[in-house]
Every structure is written in C-alpha cells, then in structure tokens.
C-alpha cells in the first residue's frame, strides 16, 4: 500500500467558506484528510491553513492536483504550496568549527527522525570534514575572507544548484550571508545562540553573562537580509545562576541550540511552517 | 453589533469528508468560522473537531441549529455539543480551608479572564465565608462526616440544582465525592497537588519530599468515580532542590495549583475540551 | 524559645581563609549556623557569602555583633550587611491601575509567605484605593504629570520617610523614576513585562507579538537610573503560539509578572540577594 | 602550574561549628577554597557539605589528607569521600539497542564536557558494537537470558574489575540487575524514561499515552535493589499534546533522556552528589 500523502499550505485574505471550499476540493476527489489545521489572523485579515491527505484512493492524478487547486485558489487570491511526502527534500548543512548541531542533525537523520536527503556539508573551515566522511556525505571547504566573500558566495550558489538543494541549515555557520545571496536562495534556517531579540549578533553568551540574566535561550529562524531578524520558527530557554560562568553558558547553550534547531528543521521538512510578514505559523 | 458565537464540539468515527461536511453546514447558512481545529485518533478511529463561528449573519435561527446539525450528525454516528457564547455558564466553587485557588479564580473572574457567573461557594468548613461575602457570592456551609456524607451529598445536589450550576470546581476541596454523586453530577473539575499519576490521594507533597523528586507538579482533571484517575485537562511543574522543605513544596505547589486550575477552568468554559475514553483533547 | 536569626551578607576581595574566618567568628560565640552559602567570582576576584545563624545561644549581645564583625571585616576590605529576622522590614507598594501584582503580593503577605509590614500603597491614580482599604493599608494618591514630576517625587520621598519604608516595590507602576529619586532612595524592585534585555521600555507585549517570538517573559530587577537596565533578580518565561493575540500575551504575562515579582521580593526580604556591578547573586 | 583540586564530601550529625572546623582544616594548611556549599536537613539532624580547594599551595602531602581529615571527622561521626580532580574516574556504559544516550555521552566525552575515561561499553546485544569501534572503546557483548542471568552477571562483574571501572552508566540498558549484583557494585546510574515515581517499570511512554498526561519526563537515579526506586539525581520534563502519538512521546522522550542522563553523570563525576537515605543532595 501507498502511504504517501499530499500537503497543501495555503494563505489568502479571510472570507467566508474557506474551510469548506478547501476541504470540499479534497473530499470531492476522495481524499482522506489526516491533518487539518488553520489559523486566522484577524488583525491582518489573513487565513492560513495546512491540509494533509492520503494519496491512496485520491482520484486526481498527482500532476493535476496543483492546477486543479489553482482553479479554486486563484479567485481567492491565495498563495499555496503543494508537497508530496515521497518527494524527499535535499538538505545542505553549513558549519564552521563547532560540531554539536551538525552531529545532532546527522544522528536524527540516521534515526529517521528527519525525512530528508543530506548530500552536502559545506564549511569555511576544514575541521569537520571527518564527520562528513564518517557519514558518507560530500564535504566542500569554501573559505571566506572579506575580499573573497562575493566570489565564494557565487561558488556556494553553484554548489547548491549542483546538489539540487532545497534547504540550507546554518548549523553554527559563523559567517554572515549577503543580502544578495539570501535573495537568490531564500530557503535558509539559522540557529542563533540567544533568546532573540535579546543579544543579536556576536558573542551572545558573553553579553548574557555580563547583563546578568537568569535564563538563556536559543532561536531558530529563517534568514533574511537583516541579521538575526528573520521570522522565528522555534525558541527555547534554560535557567542559569550566578554560579555559571560564560563557559557554563556556552555548554548549556549547546544543548538548547541542538534541540531548537532540530525542532525547527523538522517542522520545516514536514511542511508545518507558514511565513507571513515577519511571523510564522507553526502547525505543530 | 452582535459578537456572539456558536461553538460545535463533535466526535464521531473517522471517515472521509468529515471536515468538508461540517464546514459546509456552517458555510451553507452563511456562517463565518473564527476557529476550527480537529484531531484524528487513528488508533481509535475517532475524529474530533471544534468549530466556532459568528452568529451575526448566520441565517439559521438559533433554536434550529441543533436539530439541523443533528440531521447531519446522526448518520455519522456523531455525538456533539452546541454552545452559545452569550449563554453564560454558572459555576460553583467548592473549598475547604485553603483560599489560594478560590481567590485566584475570583480575581480572574473580576478581571474578566473567565466568562462565567459564580453564584455559589460551598464548603465543608465556615472559614472562607468572608471571602464569599466580599465578592457578593452566596456561601453554603455543608459540613461532612463519615456518617453524614450521603445525606449531605443529597443537600449538595439540591444546591447545585437550586443555583442551576453547570460546572463544579473543586478548588482544594478536601473531601472525596461518592461514585453516586459523580454519576448524578458529572461536570466537575478538580485540582490535585501532584503530577499525576505520581502521588494520587493524600499528602502528595510530603510523599514527593520523601521520594526525593527534583520536580513537583499539579494536575487539573475531570472527576470520575476513581480517585485522581479522571481525564487530565492540564498539568504543570516546577523545579525543586534539596534545600526545599515540605513547607517549601507546599508554597511552590500553591502557585502551580492556582495556574493549572485556572487554565483548565478557562479551557472548559471556552468549550475547548473534548473527553474521550480517559483522555482529553484540548483545542487550545 | 527565641527563633530569631541573624544574617550576614558579605562581599570582599577573594583570598584564602575567608570561609574559615567568617565561620569561626560565628562559632566562637556559640552560633548555630542554619544556612551558609558562598560564591566566588574568579573573573572579578570577588568572594560573596551569606550566613544565617540562630540568636538563641549566641553569646554576643545583638548590638555588638556589627562592630565585632567589623573588626574582622575591615582588614579584609569587606562590605557587609547584618540583618535580624525579627526586625520586620517595611514595604511600600507602588501601583498605577493594574491590580494583579498588588493583589498577589497582599495575598502572600496575608498568607505569611512574605515576612514584612506593608504600611503604604502609593499610586498615580485613585483606582486601586478600595484594595488598600480592604487590607487596611494607607493609600496615597500622588498624580504625576510632566510638569509636576519633580515636586511629586519630593512628596513621594517624604512619604517614604514618614512611613519609614525600607523597600519600594513597583508593582506595575507605569511611571519612570528620575535618576535623582533613585539616588536618594535606591532600594526599589521593579517588575518589567518582558524577558530583558529584550523589549525594554514601553509596550513589550505588543512588540513581542510583532517580532513573532515563541516565548515571552517577565523580569524583576532593582531600579537604577537607566531604564530597565538594573541588576536582574529573577526571570521566568511562558510559551506562546501563533494563536495568541496581544491580549493573550497580556493575560499570560500577568501570571508571569505575579510569580516573578513575588519570588524576587521574597528573595530580597529574606536577605538572599547580593548585588555586585550590574549582577546579582541569589543565595536561594 | 598545577590546576588540580581536592574535593571533600562530608555527612555528619548536625552540631555547632561544623563549617568552621572543616574550613579551618583546609585553611590551616594553606588551601584556597574554590567551591563550598552545605546543606542541613533539620528533620534528620544531618549536615552535608562539599568543599573543593586547590592543591597548589596546599601544604599537606596528598596521601596524608585523608588520614589528617579523618582525625577531625571521626569525633564528629562523619562519613566522607575525598577526591582528586586529576584522578580520572573510569566509566563503563551499558546499552542494549538504542544508541541516542550512548552517542550523546560519547560526544560530550570527546567535547571534554565529561572528565572521565571510558574504556568499556557492554551490551546484551551486538548491535552497537560499531559505535564502540568508531570511538576506539572495547565492546563486550554479554547476552542475557532468564537462565544465564546469574552467570552472566558474574562475567559482568569480572569485566568491571578487569577494566577497573568506578561507575556504570545504564544508557538505556533494558535488563534488570539483580539485588546481588547491585550489592557487589553499587555505583550505577540509570536513566528511566518517565517522570518517576510515575510509570516505573516497562513501557512508560505507552502508559503515559494511555493515562493521557500532558507532560512527560525522564529520571536519572542511582540503581538500588528495588527497580526504579533508587535516589533521584536529576529529572526533566517536556510538554505533549493530544496530537502526540506514542511514537512522538518516544521521540520527544529521547531528547529528555539524553539531557537528564548527561547532567546526572556530570554531577556525579564532579563529585557534586551526596546520597542520604533515598534522597540526594546535588551541590550544583
């Protein structure tokens, strides 16, 4: 039996009958909905929904679903994404020297917590190459300096194209991407080691220590042209005390970073995240 | 303008087209859905949903909604509840001697966090009568002994009927209700001062201390004939350490009890809780 | 029997033998230590400690303890505070229109969670006067405008002197104190309705909503001349989702504010907080 | 320079002067205390303390510290442990088929979060042998059946002796140790996948799902003859909802198990845990 599912993520101006219209579309072709969730932002007058249904028994050929739904969606001024669970997305992980987020993602991938292909690890340092080799993943060392940044970004874009990458995860990649790069490849998730909007930019643990906060956090967000200001997907925190040094904050923070990034990547890969403005709806 | 809404809570055996059918029902009469959420328990083959829509502009007269929906629901073997937001439920709070949960609920009621009428406070002790007076609520002192329990429960049922009570909240009521009472008045929420199923019954903080746990909790649940085994609505926890005595656990636990009970009562009053088997779905 | 205790809070440059010297001082006069905790900030070379011992059986007359300890402390370049548990501190609560933190503190005071006298409630509005009356506490209405601020602060200082206030708690007092005021009366705890340093200043819930954070917080801190930048005593957070409106954030935040402020005030009143630089050690 | 430290963990009946006496001992030989914490359990009349000081500049030869302290401790009826930070403890990790806790511990060991030697991985299955090989650690496969349990436990004890193991960590070892084994080798930490004392024994996630709890947990504890009843070192929890299946609980629980076990092992290896009765003091 075919366990594959289709998922629609839809946003449109709010109006009467949206739930009924979209559910009718699926039902009329015999689809069995296994997840449906929606949210209305009344302030913005925006309706957002996620519907997932089984392809087994669905009478519309796969390649016709998108145009057929488009005939319903366009009069509603809707934007939508259609995903099939058996089309496995391709992920590139970018790192610098720290391995904790990288290893955590790879373990989860091996444990089948993440349904994804990971054909490419990219780094501005050579240090983590052995991990790539251990997991049988291509590793590309693309060093970056102030002077070479633009040409190296061109090289990075080539790699993303060559490996047909759908999503880049910055798993402690300690370089800032140019606005130009982000506009050309906008599907990027970053983990920032603070509870944003507190402590954006460099050295958040040092600054958290100096400010004397009692709780630290980590934030996974989509990357935009403005550093650490993209739409937040997931955050979490951990309590600290006066006994914790900056090194303790870094150690405790690593555990947060691993968990928060993994949750955000999983939500994205399961097509549970809808961005609107600078906000996300996570249909968890 | 009329801001009133109608809410349907529906459970039925899972099958294709349920979302479409129920949404169509509301749309066909011009209803504007403001909240829709559903859950399928695939293990049990059960579909559960909550739909809330504006009555303004809904073309079906209020008194006809229930029979009209019944015509759709019965062929689906569904059970359902229909609530109107302008029908304010009537709440009785039962207490013994501790005032923290009582005051917390009354503050939230005054602050309009809880849309409810509270005509009755009932206690097996006289101690908290002044609080009832301060808030202008009738207070009934119904002392209970081993011998008088049955007749006093009869009196309690009379009070519930007289005051037309829809929901009883046991806000630290330190008496066990008989199975007979619960069968006659099943709409009861209790706050238990432990992280159930750990430490059911008496003295949970003392026992938590003795067991040396590092975290304590509180649990709000519907009352059934089996002590502390009813469907759980909400739980929360707080970290403790070896420095905390039993008195500290009690103090920290009081804050948990207040929060957990208030959240559960609010979920119930907003018709967000569906019970099936010994579980709840909370459409939060 | 006398259950009173003495508490020493000491800071001094780190050196060998500090624990021994201070513990010897107490032991040599027959003191029974019931709490001892210390912290060394190696970066700053600073030793901080809290010692609490029973006065029953302590052979040094109460009025001699401070000078006697001074003879030990001065050669160590220490600063210290000496407190007696039977000297009840006097607290003034300042509010504007919101009552949740005020009610919560008053309830804890009645429940004997806070060992304190509360002779004064001060507000720039008259709205909460009935609560003061209900608890038998003097209420002073001191309205503030841009023009009257300085003279009204003079009046506020008079009130603090008249009522012999030791600590001011800003329980949602929506006015900024002048640097001059803070320098004249520095013992002030404020509750800020965000997870500082995120969202200092006005409208933090609105701004948290707009930023799309997934967690909100509250922060209790000592007030300094720089708005929302004083030493943090306690913080806590609660998870939110896309379903939460600004109003939901405000409602959820109120519960945080109550808990965080109450914990901070309790820590302070139990002489568990030592400030150094812009940080606190909380000997909890 | 020598950064090594000595740590004393002491328990004795409470009496006056204990802090002074023990601190004096260290100071009199020129020791610089870098961590001191104590706790008095007034109910039990028990004093417990942890002191850590630098060996550099400490005038007592290392081998004389224990007998010298004994001369002070014995009149106090104290029990004590003396540890040197440069004596690296030797850890054996026992597993069955699940690798998440094993990998997590090994990663922390490599990242120098855990100061420990790990010469031995033992399992009742062969599945995880490749991980041992990858990290260059001896792997012993000791299958267990009802019939062979006793003889295999003898073999396990031999292995522990041969490898001079100080601590066994059961990192999802799905076998119950006999009381006899535990009495012969009592230094064992286990991770149990529930919030004990809820759901001891088999299938806690399944049972948590069936009970309909809203929060799940994990517990790290010392192993005693009574299954899942030993002294708790650390616990943590995560919120779940009706949308989570048993498989989701298992997945979310794995993250908890990793964190909770790692924290407990770290506390133990840093000699921060004192057991008394069935409780622990964790001088974190």
């Amino acid at each position: 039996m075919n366990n594959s599912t289709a998922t629609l993520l839809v946003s449109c101006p709010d109006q009467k009958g949206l739930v009924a219209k979209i559910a009718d579309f699926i039902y009329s072709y015999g689809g069995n909905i296994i997840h449906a969730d929606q949210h209305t932002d009344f302030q913005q007058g925006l309706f957002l929904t996620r519907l997932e249904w089984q392809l087994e028994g669905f009478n519309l050929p796969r390649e016709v679903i998108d145009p057929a739904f488009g005939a319903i969606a366009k009069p509603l001024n809707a934007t939508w994404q259609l995903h099939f669970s058996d089309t496995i997305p391709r992920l590139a992980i970018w790192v610098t020297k720290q391995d904790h987020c990288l290893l955590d993602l790879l373990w989860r991938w091996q444990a089948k917590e993440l349904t994804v292909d990971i054909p490419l690890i990219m780094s501005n340092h050579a240090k983590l190459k052995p991990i790539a080799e251990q997991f049988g993943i291509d590793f590309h060392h693309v060093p970056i300096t102030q002077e070479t940044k633009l040409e190296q970004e061109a090289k990075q874009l080539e790699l993303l194209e060559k490996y047909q990458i759908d999503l880049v995860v910055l798993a402690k990649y300690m370089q800032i991407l140019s606005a130009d790069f982000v506009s050309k490849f906008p599907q990027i998730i970053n983990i920032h080691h603070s509870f944003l909007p507190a402590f954006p930019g460099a050295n958040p643990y040092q600054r958290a220590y100096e400010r004397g906060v009692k709780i630290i956090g980590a934030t996974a967000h989509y990357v935009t042209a403005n550093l650490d200001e993209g739409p937040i997907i997931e955050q979490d925190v951990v309590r600290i005390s006066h006994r914790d040094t900056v090194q303790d904050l870094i150690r405790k923070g690593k555990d947060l970073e691993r968990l928060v990034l993994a949750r955000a990547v999983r939500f994205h890969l399961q097509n549970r995240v809808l961005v609107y403005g600078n906000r996300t709806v996570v249909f968890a």
Side-chain angles (χ1 to χ4, degrees), chain A residues 98-232:
Chain A
Q98 289 185 291
D99 65 4
H100 58 287
C101 285
L102 174 63
L103 277 171
D104 199 79
L105 288 171
L106 295 175
W107 291 341
R108 289 178 199 272
W109 172 57
Q110 277 198 332
K112 305 199 191 313
E113 281 188 25
L114 302 175
T115 307
V116 69
D117 289 334
I118 308 183
L120 171 64
I121 295 172
M122 205 284 302
S123 180
N124 56 330
H125 284 269
K127 188 185 170 202
L128 300 182
K129 192 175 184 186
I131 293 177
E133 288 170 349
Q134 174 197 330
F135 284 84
I137 299 171
D138 287 3
F139 181 91
H140 284 263
H141 176 201
V142 184
I144 310 269
T145 64
Q146 199 87 19
E147 293 72 34
T148 63
K149 187 174 182 116
L150 283 188
E151 59 184 288
Q152 294 298 67
E153 283 197 344
K155 194 168 165 187
Q156 289 170 329
L157 282 169
E158 270 173 47
L159 282 171
L160 297 183
E161 193 168 2
K162 179 184 161 200
Y163 283 92
Q164 297 175 278
I165 298 301
D166 299 299
L167 176 71
V168 168
V169 172
L170 306 182
K172 304 294 288 179
Y173 179 66
M174 308 312 270
Q175 288 283 330
I176 298 171
L177 303 178
S178 73
D180 182 58
F181 183 94
V182 176
S183 74
K184 284 175 180 152
F185 191 94
Q187 290 286 74
I188 309 170
I189 293 174
N190 182 45
I191 180 72
H192 183 73
H193 39 313
S194 83
F195 184 80
L196 289 175
F199 312 120
N203 297 322
Y205 292 127
Q206 177 68 38
R207 286 151 66 206
Y209 178 84
E210 284 163 10
R211 179 61 187 90
V213 297
K214 299 299 184 186
I215 290 174
I216 57 170
T219 305
H221 63 94
Y222 289 111
V223 173
T224 62
N226 300 317
L227 183 66
D228 298 332
E229 294 187 8
I232 293 170

Side-chain angles (χ1 to χ4, degrees), chain A residues 7-12 22 35 37-41 46-51 69 78-83 187 189 222 230-234 264 267-284:
Chain A
T7 298
L8 267 174
L9 284 168
V10 186
S11 324
C12 65
I22 300 172
H35 179 265
D37 198 357
Q38 51 270 320
H39 175 61
T40 308
D41 184 322
L46 196 67
F47 173 85
L48 309 108
T49 191
R50 179 187 190 276
L51 284 138
F69 184 72
T79 58
W80 73 95
Q81 307 167 29
L82 176 66
H83 302 277
Q187 290 286 74
I189 293 174
Y222 289 111
I232 293 170
I233 307 169
E234 172 69 347
F267 287 145
H268 177 94
L269 292 175
Q270 294 188 337
N271 305 303
R272 295 185 181 278
V273 190
L274 254 178
V275 174
Y276 71 105
N278 204 39
R279 304 169 58 76
T280 63
V281 169
V282 180
F283 292 118

Side-chain angles (χ1 to χ4, degrees), chain A residues 9-28:
Chain A
L9 284 168
V10 186
S11 324
C12 65
D14 190 29
Q15 55 177 273
K16 285 186 188 180
L18 290 170
V19 177
K21 274 178 193 160
I22 300 172
D24 275 344
F25 168 75
I26 295 164
Y27 180 48
S28 62

